[in-house]
Amino acid sequence: MKHQIKVIIAVAVYGVLASRMAAAQQVAPAQSRTWLQGSQITVGLGAGVTARYAGSDEYRPVPVPVFKLVTPSGFFVDSMQGAGYRYDINEMFFASAAIGYDAGRKDSDDGLQPGSAKLKGMGEIKGSVLANLDAGVKLGRIGTFSVGVSQPLSNRERGLNYHAELSSTVLSLANDKVSVSGAVYFGDAKYNQTFFGVSALQSRNSGYAKYTAESGLNAANASIVWTHSFNQAWSLSTMLGATHYMQKAANSPLVFAKTNYSGFTSVNYSF
């Protein structure tokens, strides 16, 4: 199943981007507009709290820098999603490709970095540059449904992870917007073993029992985001989320809490 998902997403994304580039080559620029003209830019700063690592029963404060640039042509830069390109195939289907980064995990309480002293002896999971491919469908008033895969471009031994997500705007007023989303996450054998498994060497170094985390479903997530606009430029965003670890991940000796919670608030300026 995981290979089928990866192939479907890759074909959809790269096929769309290739057709988009071919179409662009056939159209001569009609005017000397820069690619930034007409773009939407949002900057902001906030703070939040999240689990020290996936399955931790400890929490850490985190700064929340906000930067989002969306161009009319589909290119975007997002402090959460990375930098990439989104193409609306038609009124229903869309696809995107982006480059992002995951910080990995420390085996110590290293400031703001993910990790915990409870993982001492487990070793470090190095950060990775990720290629994120997504394809989705717009479901009208219901929202959007998408599937995606994250392929590590560096430190590839961490493996692949996949997700399927349903998101919807449940309230849209003049100054307030509330969106909800639900997602499930899957990992191949390498990914689940990297984040939830304990090898023989790690067992000797850390004292945790040896544990093999096979490929498959590892977590489900639900979140809600409320954005209040003070005017056309200034806004306040608040997010609350919960991630529940399942199946092989839930039984890992590294998972001290099967449900992790997170939240943040940021003040944003758009222009």
Side-chain angles (χ1 to χ4, degrees):
M1 175 181 175
K2 62 185 181 182
H3 296 296
Q4 293 176 339
I5 294 176
K6 183 180 178 182
V7 170
I8 291 173
I9 296 172
V11 170
V13 173
Y14 288 119
V16 168
L17 298 184
S19 64
R20 179 67 171 174
M21 292 175 65
Q25 292 176 349
Q26 297 174 2
V27 179
Q31 50 187 332
S32 59
R33 294 181 60 188
T34 69
W35 67 282
L36 279 175
Q37 285 183 310
S39 298
Q40 297 178 346
I41 302 175
T42 299
V43 295
L45 184 63
V49 64
T50 188
R52 293 207 62 87
Y53 67 91
S56 176
D57 59 353
E58 304 170 313
Y59 286 80
R60 58 189 172 93
V62 290
V64 182
V66 177
F67 180 81
K68 182 179 291 186
L69 164 67
V70 180
T71 71
S73 60
F75 289 97
F76 66 86
V77 178
D78 191 302
S79 53
M80 298 291 289
Q81 299 178 2
Y85 179 75
R86 168 172 165 145
Y87 178 53
D88 290 321
I89 303 169
N90 52 36
E91 293 183 354
M92 181 174 290
F93 297 100
F94 62 90
S96 69
I99 299 296
Y101 182 77
D102 181 88
R105 189 183 72 192
K106 302 283 187 179
D107 62 353
S108 62
D109 293 336
D110 188 7
L112 300 176
Q113 293 294 314
S116 169
K118 290 186 176 182
L119 299 174
K120 185 176 181 179
M122 286 295 298
E124 176 185 0
I125 299 174
K126 295 181 179 180
S128 293
V129 177
L130 303 175
N132 300 314
L133 305 177
D134 288 89
V137 57
K138 302 171 188 177
L139 304 174
R141 294 183 178 180
I142 297 176
T144 61
F145 175 76
S146 63
V147 293
V149 58
S150 292
Q151 165 75 56
L153 301 179
S154 62
N155 301 315
R156 298 169 64 92
E157 65 276 4
R158 66 182 276 150
L160 301 172
N161 62 304
Y162 311 84
H163 70 269
E165 180 178 18
L166 179 65
S167 60
S168 178
T169 298
V170 296
L171 178 67
S172 184
L173 302 176
N175 297 317
D176 295 279
K177 179 180 177 180
V178 177
S179 300
V180 297
S181 65
V184 288
Y185 298 91
F186 305 82
D188 65 6
K190 285 185 177 181
Y191 182 89
N192 285 349
Q193 182 65 24
T194 297
F195 286 91
F196 303 105
V198 181
S199 69
L201 177 60
Q202 289 173 325
S203 178
R204 290 194 297 271
N205 293 337
S206 67
Y208 291 112
K210 181 181 177 182
Y211 185 77
T212 300
E214 300 172 351
S215 63
L217 178 68
N218 58 47
N221 170 271
S223 64
I224 181 170
V225 179
W226 168 51
T227 300
H228 175 74
S229 299
F230 299 101
N231 50 46
Q232 291 184 343
W234 291 97
S235 65
L236 178 73
S237 293
T238 299
M239 185 282 293
L240 296 174
T243 301
H244 183 69
Y245 297 97
M246 308 168 69
Q247 296 189 2
K248 283 290 185 177
N251 296 325
S252 168
L254 306 180
V255 174
F256 291 91
K258 292 186 178 180
T259 302
N260 286 165
Y261 303 95
S262 61
F264 74 80
T265 296
S266 66
V267 177
N268 315 303
Y269 180 77
S270 299
F271 57 96

